[in-house]
Amino acid sequence: MRTYFTTIKYLQETLLALAIVTMMVLPSMIVFSPDIISNNVVTNLYLISHIFLFFVMIIRPLADIFTKTIWIRPLVILRKGAGVMSASIVVSFILAKLMVNPVIYFSSIATLKYWSMVNYAVLAHIADISAVILIITSNNFSKSLFGNSWKTIQKLAYVYFYGSVLYVFLTYGSIYLLVALVLVTITTYIAFIKNSNKKQLLAENTAQNII
């Protein structure tokens, strides 16, 4: 298990480093090398982003459900690295837009069209904003700054996941993302029920001990 934990630690550091490199390199490539960043490349990048996001959303409920499977729980550690890696791709495309014309980008946010359900644009933009907030606050400084509120902010991962997945599914009809959405929803619900039962049982045992 020590080797397993060490591997997870290095993988976490690698994902965080890759995320930083992505945000440093990808925006410039999008703006200055559009021939390299073709539509197929963009599609694959968003696929990678969704794979990491799927891992982030499903690994904790799986760990809560399969408590006796000891190798699953340590993987929860990787949620930070995988989440930052997923968001870094989304944020890179936003940074590219800012590099081209920040005035137009910020002006568009104030328009009704930006928040319209036409072509499900609002789902994509809500997911984008959630990704930005998550990547900004995924550090120890933000954790200390926001205190108990930090965990609440991190729950925007659900907004990021459902907004992004629903947008791609409704727009492009991706069955794979629909399956991902269903799996995450089911496992999260089962984990919630299981954890609620544990808390109730613990409360009852505590009450009996007091009596």
Side-chain angles (χ1 to χ4, degrees):
M1 284 299 290
R2 179 176 295 182
T3 302
Y4 186 51
F5 275 104
T6 302
T7 302
I8 289 174
K9 178 183 176 182
Y10 283 123
L11 185 55
Q12 173 90 298
E13 293 173 353
T14 300
L15 288 173
L16 292 173
L18 282 173
I20 293 173
V21 172
T22 297
M23 288 186 290
M24 291 175 62
V25 175
L26 184 56
S28 296
M29 292 183 67
I30 295 170
V31 175
F32 300 111
S33 302
D35 293 337
I36 297 176
I37 309 298
S38 63
N39 289 335
N40 286 336
V41 172
V42 172
T43 300
N44 289 331
L45 285 171
Y46 276 113
L47 174 60
I48 293 170
S49 176
H50 281 113
I51 289 172
F52 279 117
L53 182 55
F54 174 69
F55 172 83
V56 171
M57 299 305 298
I58 204 166
I59 192 61
R60 183 179 289 279
L62 285 179
D64 290 342
I65 295 169
F66 300 104
T67 53
K68 295 182 180 181
T69 308
I70 60 174
W71 62 268
I72 295 180
R73 177 61 62 178
L75 292 176
V76 174
I77 299 170
L78 290 175
R79 291 177 80 244
K80 178 180 179 180
V84 171
M85 188 64 228
S86 172
S88 70
I89 295 173
V90 174
V91 171
S92 291
F93 282 94
I94 296 174
L95 291 174
K97 293 177 183 178
L98 292 174
M99 289 172 65
V100 172
N101 196 320
V103 175
I104 291 178
Y105 179 76
F106 285 116
S107 297
S108 68
I109 295 177
T111 64
L112 291 176
K113 183 179 179 181
Y114 190 89
W115 302 104
S116 171
M117 272 303 292
V118 176
N119 296 324
Y120 312 105
V122 66
L123 295 175
H125 296 147
I126 288 175
D128 288 349
I129 292 172
S130 300
V132 171
I133 295 173
L134 287 168
I135 206 166
I136 290 175
T137 58
S138 293
N139 52 71
N140 292 330
F141 173 75
S142 295
K143 194 172 183 178
S144 300
L145 179 65
F146 293 106
N148 294 332
S149 299
W150 183 81
K151 287 187 177 180
T152 302
I153 295 172
Q154 293 302 299
K155 288 181 180 179
L156 282 172
Y158 289 96
V159 179
Y160 173 34
F161 174 77
Y162 282 101
S164 182
V165 169
L166 281 172
Y167 169 73
V168 176
F169 169 68
L170 292 173
T171 305
Y172 302 103
S174 174
I175 299 300
Y176 296 109
L177 287 184
L178 177 61
V179 172
L181 185 148
V182 171
L183 287 175
V184 168
T185 301
I186 291 174
T187 53
T188 300
Y189 178 74
I190 293 173
F192 174 77
I193 296 299
K194 187 173 182 178
N195 289 333
S196 296
N197 290 337
K198 281 184 179 179
K199 289 179 181 178
Q200 183 177 354
L201 183 60
L202 180 62
E204 291 174 354
N205 290 336
T206 302
Q208 289 178 355
N209 291 333
I210 293 175
I211 295 172

